[in-house]
Amino acid sequence: MIYSMTGYAARTCTVKGGALHIELKSVNSRYLDCQFRVCDELRMSEPALRELINAHISRGKVECRVNYVSTVGNNAQSSLNGDLLERLRAFDAQVRSVMPLAVPLAVNDVLHWPGIFGDDSVDGDALSSACLALAGEALGDFTASRAREGAKLTGVILERIACMRVLLRDVGPRIPAAQAAFNEKLRQRLLDAVDSAADERIRQEVAVFAARIDVAEELARLATHLDEVERVLTTGGASGKRLDFLMQELNREANTLASKSLVAEVSQTAIELKLLIEQMREQVQNLE
């Protein structure tokens, strides 16, 4: 399957004491470039996340965001930690007995005290395991989105290949007759310009010139490169760099075809081929 370098996915799950959210998005890049925005509670999971992403993606600029939101306080506001509350009261009274001008603890201070709503500590190992599991699910969605986009791009490229094959098929049979007419016209002009030259000698020179402008080889190579592009698209996998190279080769042959052509039909075909190749190249730049 062909994958686009553009993709997006997001997943959220509930874990003990909070909620975990992972977001993945990517854009085009020449190489694989992973950037992470990970909350402090899961900073230790970043190497494992990087390894997981590297195992599934070979090209693209990927951004991974991981957030953890604690819900302990929200879920237990009606159940305060009585023991801690009593200790805070005792500490407050002890401090103000020594320092009468000290400001007493405010309700807001107490409600934000760590552990006031119960055990709000985070189990790092459990949270890390949940993070990697959620990342695997998000990566599955992410890969699926890249596959859908890749399928669309593949369809566009195959359409351009079909158009190019039609151009090559139509122009091929017309080239021999058109070149023969041009050669005869050239021979006659040479005879008119050089009355003393032997007709056989002029025919030989025209034959040498005709060989130099023969475009059969370029047409054959264009067809071969199109076959290879279709093969790569059918094989799938990380093929963006290979396809980019093939676009360069197709463009090279189209340029040679245009430079060697002295026939209007071939020149027009070369222009149309170059336009289609450029359209394919723009799509190939998006493939992994």
Side-chain angles (χ1 to χ4, degrees), residues 179-193 202 205-207 209-210 213 262:
Q179 286 188 333
F182 179 83
N183 292 343
E184 180 58 28
K185 185 177 181 180
L186 177 61
R187 187 188 70 82
Q188 189 59 49
R189 286 184 177 180
L190 289 174
L191 283 174
D192 294 342
I202 290 178
E205 292 297 330
V206 171
F209 180 74
I213 65 171
L262 296 177

Side-chain angles (χ1 to χ4, degrees), residues 252-270:
R252 190 196 314 277
E253 297 300 336
N255 285 333
T256 304
L257 183 66
S259 64
K260 292 176 67 173
S261 173
L262 296 177
V263 181
E265 292 90 338
V266 179
S267 298
Q268 183 61 35
T269 296

Side-chain angles (χ1 to χ4, degrees), residues 19-283:
L20 195 59
H21 178 77
I22 293 181
E23 182 182 51
L24 293 171
K25 58 182 178 180
S26 67
V27 294
N28 298 354
S29 178
R30 188 174 181 182
Y31 305 105
L32 178 60
D33 178 16
C34 295
Q35 299 181 356
F36 292 87
R37 303 289 185 272
V38 183
C39 59
D40 292 338
E41 293 87 349
L42 287 163
R43 186 66 61 185
M44 61 182 178
S45 301
E46 183 174 327
L49 288 171
R50 184 180 299 274
E51 183 177 351
L52 182 63
I53 291 176
N54 289 349
H56 290 79
I57 303 173
S58 60
R59 286 181 70 196
K61 184 177 182 180
V62 183
E63 182 177 348
C64 175
R65 292 180 178 270
V66 182
N67 292 316
Y68 170 74
V69 179
S70 176
T71 57
V72 172
N74 296 332
N75 295 334
Q77 289 184 6
S78 61
S79 178
L80 296 176
N81 187 334
D83 292 339
L84 178 58
L85 192 62
E86 179 60 29
R87 287 199 301 271
L88 290 176
R89 186 198 64 77
F91 290 154
D92 179 68
Q94 184 178 356
V95 170
R96 287 193 292 115
S97 66
V98 179
M99 303 173 62
L101 297 180
V103 178
L105 282 173
V107 173
N108 187 59
D109 297 330
V110 174
L111 293 179
H112 285 84
W113 201 274
I116 193 63
F117 294 110
D119 184 12
D120 58 358
S121 61
V122 177
D123 186 342
D125 292 338
L127 189 60
S128 179
S129 298
C131 175
L132 292 178
L134 187 64
E137 296 175 3
L139 197 55
D141 297 340
F142 183 67
T143 301
S145 73
R146 293 168 60 240
R148 289 192 298 270
E149 180 70 16
K152 294 179 182 178
L153 297 177
T154 299
V156 172
I157 295 172
L158 290 175
E159 288 178 1
R160 302 303 185 272
I161 290 177
C163 292
M164 291 180 67
R165 290 195 185 279
V166 171
L167 289 173
L168 295 177
R169 183 195 65 198
D170 291 346
V171 77
R174 298 202 297 266
I175 290 177
Q179 286 188 333
F182 179 83
N183 292 343
E184 180 58 28
K185 185 177 181 180
L186 177 61
R187 187 188 70 82
Q188 189 59 49
R189 286 184 177 180
L190 289 174
L191 283 174
D192 294 342
V194 187
D195 294 335
S196 60
D199 183 68
E200 183 60 28
R201 175 61 178 169
I202 290 178
R203 289 184 183 276
Q204 292 176 0
E205 292 297 330
V206 171
V208 172
F209 180 74
R212 292 177 180 174
I213 65 171
D214 184 19
V215 295
E217 185 177 351
E218 283 70 26
L219 294 178
R221 280 201 291 261
L222 281 168
T224 300
H225 292 328
L226 291 178
D227 290 341
E228 180 63 12
V229 172
E230 287 187 329
R231 187 196 68 79
V232 173
L233 291 174
T234 302
T235 302
S239 53
K241 291 183 178 180
R242 174 66 177 170
L243 290 172
D244 187 57
F245 171 76
L246 288 171
M247 294 304 110
Q248 296 178 33
E249 293 301 303
L250 283 168
N251 194 59
R252 190 196 314 277
E253 297 300 336
N255 285 333
T256 304
L257 183 66
S259 64
K260 292 176 67 173
S261 173
L262 296 177
V263 181
E265 292 90 338
V266 179
S267 298
Q268 183 61 35
T269 296
I271 293 173
E272 295 178 10
L273 288 173
K274 291 176 67 174
L275 177 60
L276 291 169
I277 293 169
E278 179 60 24
Q279 292 174 354
M280 287 196 298
R281 190 191 67 81
E282 291 175 356
Q283 304 304 322

